[in-house]
């Protein structure tokens, strides 16, 4: 089992460029999540998907969109990157919302 | 607003000393979870506490859930260099579809 995988590991974007962060899990989990982590800010939820076919906003959704492509995959899209979106992005999955979550290795994104 | 707070934000200890981090929620939680994130790594689930007053141990780590289910603590006895990292608590603050993570306590060890 690979667990939760994320691509890419690192990315540098110019302001205004777009990109999609990919996430996949092979644990047959229903729930998937996207977080961003900034120094001193802990983990902040961007979007989540409680089950295949549903998505909901988290704490900091502005500037992002998501797609729950199927039960395994949950992608995060930045339509027009801004320097404030420089962060480390983690994808996570879990059986259900209040169960333990399993995190991917993260994507380190820099927007210049 | 509703939130999960952790104290202290940073802790530096000599190797062999004990360490404790505290987690406080503004509302009652159905459960509390603890995660560890090594420097440069991703958060890894440690444990979940569900019952009021519950205490669980994992080797040198002791986890407690408060009687009112609004606070929790993680205590490490005789710290080792492998304990370095940031410890997060998390709970379902807003319904059971998602977790709210605390701000984390970063532990560094002085050899």
């Amino acid at each position: 089992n690979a667990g939760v995988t994320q691509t890419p590991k690192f990315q540098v974007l110019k302001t205004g460029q777009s990109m999609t962060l990919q996430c996949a899990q092979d644990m047959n989990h229903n729930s998937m999540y996207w977080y961003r982590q900034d120094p001193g800010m802990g983990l902040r939820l961007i979007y989540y998907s409680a089950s295949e076919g549903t998505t909901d906003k988290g704490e900091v959704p502005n500037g992002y969109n998501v797609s729950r492509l199927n039960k395994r995959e949950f992608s995060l899209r930045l339509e027009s990157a801004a320097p404030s979106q420089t962060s480390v992005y983690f994808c996570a999955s879990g059986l259900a919302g209040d169960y333990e979550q399993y995190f991917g290795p993260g994507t380190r994104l820099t927007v210049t | 607003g509703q939130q999960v707070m952790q104290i202290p934000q940073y802790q530096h200890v000599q190797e062999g000393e004990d360490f404790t981090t505290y987690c406080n929620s503004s509302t009652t939680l159905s459960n509390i979870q603890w995660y560890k994130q090594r420097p440069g790594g991703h958060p890894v689930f440690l444990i979940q506490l569900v019952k009021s007053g519950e205490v669980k141990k994992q080797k040198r780590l002791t986890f407690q859930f408060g009687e009112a289910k609004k606070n929790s603590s993680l205590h490490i006895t005789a710290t080792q260099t492998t304990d370095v990292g940031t410890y997060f608590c998390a709970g379902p603050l807003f319904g059971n579809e998602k977790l709210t993570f605390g701000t984390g306590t970063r532990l560094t060890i002085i050899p």
Side-chain angles (χ1 to χ4, degrees), chain A residues 46-110:
Chain A
I46 304 171
Y47 270 94
Y48 68 101
S49 171
S51 61
E52 187 179 354
T54 68
T55 61
D56 278 291
K57 295 178 180 179
E59 183 185 353
V60 287
N62 290 346
Y64 305 95
N65 284 301
V66 290
S67 295
R68 183 77 183 265
L69 304 169
N70 47 56
K71 192 170 187 179
R72 289 187 65 247
E73 298 171 287
F74 189 38
S75 62
L76 178 72
R77 182 160 178 85
L78 287 70
E79 290 291 352
S80 179
S84 60
Q85 294 179 304
T86 293
S87 189
V88 180
Y89 291 85
F90 289 104
C91 176
S93 70
L95 273 174
D98 55 354
Y99 281 65
E100 66 265 29
Q101 294 184 8
Y102 296 82
F103 284 77
T107 295
R108 281 145 184 82
L109 175 67
T110 302

Side-chain angles (χ1 to χ4, degrees), chain B residues 45-63:
Chain B
F45 172 78
L46 293 177
I47 206 161
Q48 181 182 51
L49 304 170
V50 179
K51 298 176 185 174
S52 170
E54 188 170 14
V55 177
K56 286 189 176 180
K57 293 191 176 186
Q58 289 179 349
K59 296 183 181 178
R60 295 177 295 103
L61 277 61
T62 301
F63 304 85

Side-chain angles (χ1 to χ4, degrees), chain A residues 31 33 35 37 40-43 45 48 50 56-59 90 96-106 108, chain B residues 9-10 30-31 33 35 37 40-45 48 86 88 92 94-104:
Chain A
S31 300
Y33 311 85
Y35 295 91
Q37 185 174 39
M41 297 294 289
L43 291 157
L45 184 64
Y48 68 101
D56 278 291
K57 295 178 180 179
E59 183 185 353
F90 289 104
D98 55 354
Y99 281 65
E100 66 265 29
Q101 294 184 8
Y102 296 82
F103 284 77
R108 281 145 184 82
Chain B
Q9 190 175 1
Y10 302 96
S30 60
N31 72 82
Q33 300 177 20
Y35 292 77
Q37 183 178 22
H42 59 274
V44 174
F45 172 78
Q48 181 182 51
T86 301
F88 293 98
F94 302 100
N96 61 1
E97 287 193 339
K98 58 189 176 183
L99 297 176
T100 299
F101 280 78
T103 45

Side-chain angles (χ1 to χ4, degrees), chain A residues 16-44:
Chain A
Q17 288 185 318
S18 63
M19 78 161 296
T20 300
L21 281 63
Q22 307 285 355
C23 174
Q25 51 92 9
D26 61 2
M27 294 174 282
N28 201 34
H29 286 163
N30 294 312
S31 300
M32 296 187 74
Y33 311 85
W34 276 104
Y35 295 91
R36 61 177 289 173
Q37 185 174 39
D38 304 297
M41 297 294 289
L43 291 157
R44 293 186 292 170

